Amino acid sequence: MPKLTLDDLNPMQIEAQKALNRENWIRVGCSTCGLAAGAEGVYQTLKEELAERKLDIEVRRTGCNGMCHAEPLVEINVSGVPRTMYGNLKPEYVKDLLNTHLKKEKIAKQWKVDGVEALGQDDCGKPSASKQVRIVLCNCGIVDPTNIDDYIARCGYQGLKRALQEYGSEGVIEQLKLSGLRGRGGGGYPTHLKWEFVRREKSAEKYMICNGDEGDPGAYMDRSVLEGDPHAVVEGMIIAGYAIGATMGYFYIRAEYPLAVERIENAIRQARRLGLLGKNILGTDFSYDLEVRLGAGAFVCGEETALMSSVEGRRGYPWPRPPFPAQKGLWGNPSNINNVETLANVPAIMRNGGKWFAQFGTEESKGTKVFAVTGNVRKAGLIEIPMGTTLNTIVYDICGGPALGSNEVKAVQTGGPSGGVIPARFFETHVSYESLLRLGSIMGSGGLIVMDEQDSMVEIAKFYLGFCVEESCGKCAPCRIGGRQMLMLLNRISKGEGTTADIDALKRISHAMQKASLCGLGQTAPNPVLSTLRYFENEYTALLKDGAQAAGAR
Amino acid sequence: MSEQLSSAPDISRTVKKWLKKRGSLIMALHEIQNTFGYVPRSVSLQLAHLMDVPLARIYEVLTFYNYFRLDPPGKNTISVCMGTACYLKGAPKLVEAFAEELGVQEGETTPDGQFFLQSVRCVGCCGLAPVVVVNGTVMSKVDVSQVKEIIASCMQKEEV
């Protein structure tokens, strides 16, 4: 295959669109979640049935469109019947499904679920009936993630083309500034500033790193994007590398996500073959390459300095800042780290311009955010909403409220082990980095766990704190010792042996950890405890030995 | 040491692939664990020799990361996801049930080497909670009543 130049991309897109938009096709969601629910069996049965019926209908494996509650999902588009999405399928239902849909040319209502129009996936950034707006997840569930042509058909690598041809490195950062994009890993730091800091540094070597070490135990946005639309993240990495002047980029991905690793490695190979990576990208004088490095099960490696230690092949210990990674990062060279979702936004921003992106969201928080909504909710799954959407809309309108036969929703937890709880009385809050912070939680990477009356807040706090204690790297004392002491106190309280003095001690140690820990892990580890104490102290005092007294005194 | 070196399996391909790349020790160790199911001491010795790194550097890395194993795994590995969603939907009860049925604690292998039981960090299938990963296959919405059945199906595959 000859290497592409800037001029080759458009004709290639037209060809690829013909293949993707064929008249008759069936798509099967085959991400980790789909496969876990039995998608492979459904896919094989579909293939066999179609072969038996001698029908020329293409069956395509796609990523996850987010409706995890209805996996395995199959979407059918054949002439004569409206395009329909089916869910909760099993191999044994396939025969009936095809009889109804293909033979009788009717929709098989018993398996019908919301389709792509409802999710707003047909056009990137188009508002949908379900109140979702999809920019990051726009291709997930539509393209075959193992085929670069599908991505090119969906305007793939057009953002890179525009960056190289039109913007130049400074212009790319200017567009980012206009877009208002902020870090989607949770911190919310303006992305254009991070890029600009590294761009300004003078160094023979600079590095770009993608943080795919999704450690929050209850979140899987990054996995779904890496699996469902790997080329979007690769394109984001190339544009970022170009803007900051990097020589090399690394994907740092959890080893627990083997399918994501496989898909990204495949995407890199395909991009390299077409000349989208390597020497003289698209015929320009920009040269850059990408490699994958695996995590090995350490939550602290989500912290950027610890992550870089790990990419260097060492223990994932964080280091004190300054110097900041922008000055001295990987192997002492200027480096920039962005989260998967941040990078997945970049191609669309470059393609459509920064102003286009800034139309979504609130004054301070632009664009959309992907959330993995789980826990006690009817439609658990991945959603993408414009910033500023209320929690009520997320929990009740999009995700259908509490699961059937269960209790009232009590609170949601966001931000995982670094975040906090938000009680139901604040559900009219418009989601943004600032609003969640004001409520004592954080945006985080996008885990959103819905809890009901049965879930004990003390147990939740214990779960997250126990996680951080196990994951503490042990380098600094506040985190190593403080975390353990807090966990002992929590255990005592949950056994009914605690006193009011223990609650005061919890708060004291929390503040010390927040102030004195070396990295984000220790600084944020007390958050789940503090936030459950803030809103649900009654659940703590109810468990105290002198609880009745304490409650009476108040 | 020389005896261990000579009896160790061939890892020259892994070494060749990663030797010249910067910071590739963790990647080489991943490959070794994928091949052997764990990182045997004999292989670590060989790796230290071939990649010219102190053995202590290798063990420093191996003992820091949860993912690496120093002991051979059981024939079947049962991993119960302990992510938040699974935790809330009863994963601790699943661990208890597996532990009782197999007669081992979490993190242990049965004496006959058949089953290794562990709890793992979020496997990213929160929409299907609680999940259990049996020999690499993710099983969704697992209930305590299925525990016996899951163990039996592993035994059956053994016989075939």
Side-chain angles (χ1 to χ4, degrees), chain A residues 217 223 295-296 310 314-315 471, chain B residues 30 60 65 67 84 121-122 124:
Chain A
R223 173 182 69 68
S310 185
R314 298 184 287 118
R315 282 188 162 204
E471 291 296 332
Chain B
H30 270 297
E60 180 191 277
Y65 293 100
Y67 197 80
T84 317
R121 296 289 183 235
C122 188

Side-chain angles (χ1 to χ4, degrees), chain B residues 16 23 31 43-44 46 48 63 68 70 73 76-77 81 95-96 98 109 117-120 122-123 155 158:
Chain B
K16 204 176 154 198
E31 270 196 32
V43 176
S44 288
Q46 206 189 358
T63 53
F68 293 120
L70 300 174
N76 299 290
T77 299
C81 179
V95 175
E96 259 173 50
F98 275 111
T109 305
L117 175 67
Q118 62 178 350
S119 69
V120 292
C122 188
V123 293
M155 306 279 261
E158 196 57 35

Side-chain angles (χ1 to χ4, degrees), chain A residues 32-33 36 68 205 207 217-218 220 223 254-255 291-297 310-316 331 374-375 449 455 459-460 463-464 467 470-471, chain B residues 18 21-27 30 57 59-61 63-68 82-85 87-89 121-128 138-141:
Chain A
T32 299
C33 43
C68 308
E205 282 173 56
Y207 294 102
Y220 56 102
R223 173 182 69 68
R254 298 179 73 196
E291 271 187 22
V292 174
R293 289 286 181 274
L294 298 183
S310 185
V311 173
E312 291 178 3
R314 298 184 287 118
R315 282 188 162 204
W331 292 296
T374 59
I449 291 153
D455 298 319
E459 286 303 311
I460 290 289
F463 169 78
Y464 281 121
F467 179 86
E470 264 185 51
E471 291 296 332
Chain B
W18 294 108
K21 296 213 166 157
R22 244 171 149 185
S24 55
L25 178 60
I26 294 176
M27 296 304 282
H30 270 297
R57 262 275 287 132
Y59 271 82
E60 180 191 277
V61 166
T63 53
F64 182 81
Y65 293 100
N66 292 327
Y67 197 80
F68 293 120
M82 273 291 188
T84 317
Y87 178 83
L88 287 175
K89 296 214 168 183
R121 296 289 183 235
C122 188
V123 293
C125 294
C126 316
L128 305 168
V138 182
M139 302 188 66
S140 58
K141 297 177 185 167

